């Protein structure tokens, strides 16, 4: 049974930093495409950053140069380092695991962690 539980959110002033973590149980974190998404109030869900099973990473243009996605294999955890935070980064952040077939999207989601930049 695969479970994802995000943590590390909080309230940080603009320009500050946070590290979000998503330990994965029931599977090896590096075995699938993994991604971070976010949803701001009144907005749709937005892809933020992802890492594929080959270790290749990518970030959305809106966070490029500020956010970094990484895998901590020793802890079986997906991390997201958020730097130079802006008010528009305020959202609930979710980690998710990709389905077996890339085209099928994500098959497991965490419940989210709140990031607030006043």
């Amino acid at each position: 049974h695969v479970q994802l539980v995000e943590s590390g959110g909080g309230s940080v002033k603009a320009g500050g930093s946070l590290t979000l973590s998503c330990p994965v149980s029931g599977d090896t974190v590096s075995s699938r495409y993994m991604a971070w998404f976010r949803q701001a109030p009144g907005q749709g869900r937005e892809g933020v950053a992802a890492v594929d099973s080959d270790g290749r990473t990518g970030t959305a243009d809106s966070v490029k140069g500020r956010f970094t996605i990484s895998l901590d294999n020793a802890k079986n955890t997906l991390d997201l380092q958020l730097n130079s935070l802006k008010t528009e980064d305020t959202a609930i952040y979710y980690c998710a695991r990709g389905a077996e077939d890339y085209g099928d999207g994500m098959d497991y989601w965490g419940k989210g962690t709140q990031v607030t930049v006043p």
Side-chain angles (χ1 to χ4, degrees):
H1 179 58
V2 176
Q3 291 185 312
L4 314 174
V5 183
E6 305 94 336
S7 65
S11 181
V12 180
K13 287 288 187 179
S17 299
L18 282 173
T19 299
L20 308 183
S21 295
C22 179
V24 177
S25 62
D27 195 12
T28 301
V29 70
S30 61
S31 67
R32 298 280 188 92
Y33 178 90
M34 300 289 296
W36 286 95
F37 295 82
R38 66 185 182 184
Q39 187 164 14
Q43 303 294 318
R45 187 172 60 203
E46 174 190 19
V48 176
V51 55
D52 66 19
S53 59
D54 294 322
R56 180 174 293 181
T57 62
T59 55
D61 288 342
S62 60
V63 304
K64 195 176 297 293
R66 299 189 298 117
F67 293 7
T68 303
I69 188 170
S70 63
L71 294 172
D72 187 333
N73 290 317
K75 298 179 180 179
N76 207 45
T77 297
L78 177 72
D79 294 324
L80 184 68
Q81 178 66 46
L82 297 74
N83 296 324
S84 302
L85 283 162
K86 305 175 180 179
T87 57
E88 55 262 43
D89 295 320
T90 296
I92 301 174
Y93 284 71
Y94 302 88
C95 66
R97 188 188 78 158
E100 182 179 2
D101 189 337
Y102 174 83
D104 290 337
M106 317 304 287
D107 62 1
Y108 288 95
W109 294 80
K111 68 179 182 179
T113 185
Q114 177 71 49
V115 172
T116 302
V117 186

